[in-house]
Amino acid sequence: MRAESTTPMFRVVEADGESSSEKWKTPNDLIVEWKERRSDEMHIPPINFAVVDDGIFRSGFPDTNSLSFLKTLKLRSIIYLCPEPYPEETFEFLTANSIQLHHFGIQKSKKPCMEIQEESIRRALNVLIDKEKHPVLIHCKHGKHRTGCLVGCFRKLQNWCMSTICEEYKQFAGNKSRIADQNFVETFDVSDFSSSFLDKK
């Protein structure tokens, strides 16, 4: 007979309706098992994830819970815009899935007039428009400011008007939108990129 316990115990029933012989589990056991199954079966996108264009995605920093989702994108490249190194576990995921990391460390700042390093954005944009590197994910920490600036410059290549570019930027930055970021995009010179990129569209 099963020993008496103050902890509730549940007999597990398999999906086909047959009881699993004498398997009794506590609620905590069931919760842990459910979480493990959930992480295996569900693909959780990173914060602020969105599709930018065919083969181009954007997001905040993907944590370990998002790795199975990233795998579904069949990425070839990641454009990373923060200065901090990649966590070891995430970097191992990139290596295991043959995803090339392009690291452009742009320093963060809480100042409203943060200066975006133009040369870093220019080099990142060169990677972004190289279709050999697609599918590609662009991300910084929250997917707002640095990512928003790079996407905004990419939109200029697509001949979007500035009002629409700024609207998209604000959609992701929310109440933390920065005028300096939008000014940066507006004054960013895309003449070195435009003809070669548009010819490939």
Side-chain angles (χ1 to χ4, degrees):
M1 292 181 62
R2 183 167 54 88
E4 293 296 327
S5 172
T6 56
T7 303
M9 302 289 285
F10 297 90
R11 189 153 58 110
V12 178
V13 178
E14 302 295 342
D16 61 3
E18 297 179 1
S19 63
S20 55
S21 58
E22 300 306 320
K23 285 187 178 179
W24 295 82
K25 296 188 178 183
T26 67
N28 283 341
D29 292 333
L30 295 173
I31 290 171
V32 169
E33 185 177 294
W34 176 79
K35 285 183 176 179
E36 289 174 349
R37 290 183 179 179
R38 184 174 182 268
S39 63
D40 289 340
E41 297 169 1
M42 293 188 67
H43 302 301
I44 305 170
I47 186 174
N48 263 339
F49 177 83
V51 177
V52 176
D53 201 4
D54 185 27
I56 301 176
F57 311 96
R58 63 178 291 169
S59 75
F61 202 106
D63 60 22
T64 54
N65 292 325
S66 301
L67 298 184
S68 63
F69 176 82
L70 294 190
K71 196 168 184 176
T72 68
L73 301 179
K74 303 186 184 302
L75 297 173
R76 288 185 183 176
S77 310
I78 285 181
I79 296 174
Y80 174 45
L81 302 175
C82 297
E84 296 81 11
Y86 241 53
E88 184 176 350
E89 184 176 354
T90 311
F91 189 77
E92 288 174 357
F93 168 82
L94 301 190
T95 303
N97 289 276
S98 302
I99 301 172
Q100 187 173 7
L101 180 65
H102 301 272
H103 190 181
F104 304 97
I106 299 175
Q107 295 292 334
K108 67 179 180 179
S109 173
K110 293 184 178 180
K111 296 179 181 179
C113 55
M114 180 185 78
E115 291 186 10
I116 294 291
Q117 291 109 321
E118 181 174 343
E119 183 56 32
S120 295
I121 292 290
R122 192 167 291 277
R123 289 189 293 117
L125 190 55
N126 267 316
V127 173
L128 182 59
I129 64 177
D130 182 355
K131 290 195 172 184
E132 293 298 316
K133 294 179 171 59
H134 294 183
V136 57
L137 172 70
I138 313 158
H139 80 82
C140 51
K141 185 173 183 180
H142 299 295
K144 295 180 179 180
H145 304 114
R146 288 166 282 197
T147 298
C149 285
L150 179 56
V151 171
C153 293
F154 175 72
R155 295 306 191 195
K156 290 189 76 172
L157 283 177
Q158 296 182 303
N159 292 321
W160 282 32
C161 67
M162 271 309 301
S163 61
T164 307
I165 292 173
C166 289
E167 188 63 33
E168 181 182 42
Y169 169 87
K170 292 173 185 176
Q171 179 182 346
F172 290 91
N175 59 8
K176 293 188 177 181
S177 297
R178 294 172 176 159
I179 294 297
D181 289 352
Q182 297 168 69
N183 289 341
F184 171 84
V185 173
E186 185 169 13
T187 59
F188 186 84
D189 183 7
V190 296
S191 60
D192 292 342
F193 305 92
S194 298
S195 59
S196 60
F197 172 73
L198 293 175
D199 287 345
K200 296 177 183 178
K201 294 295 285 182

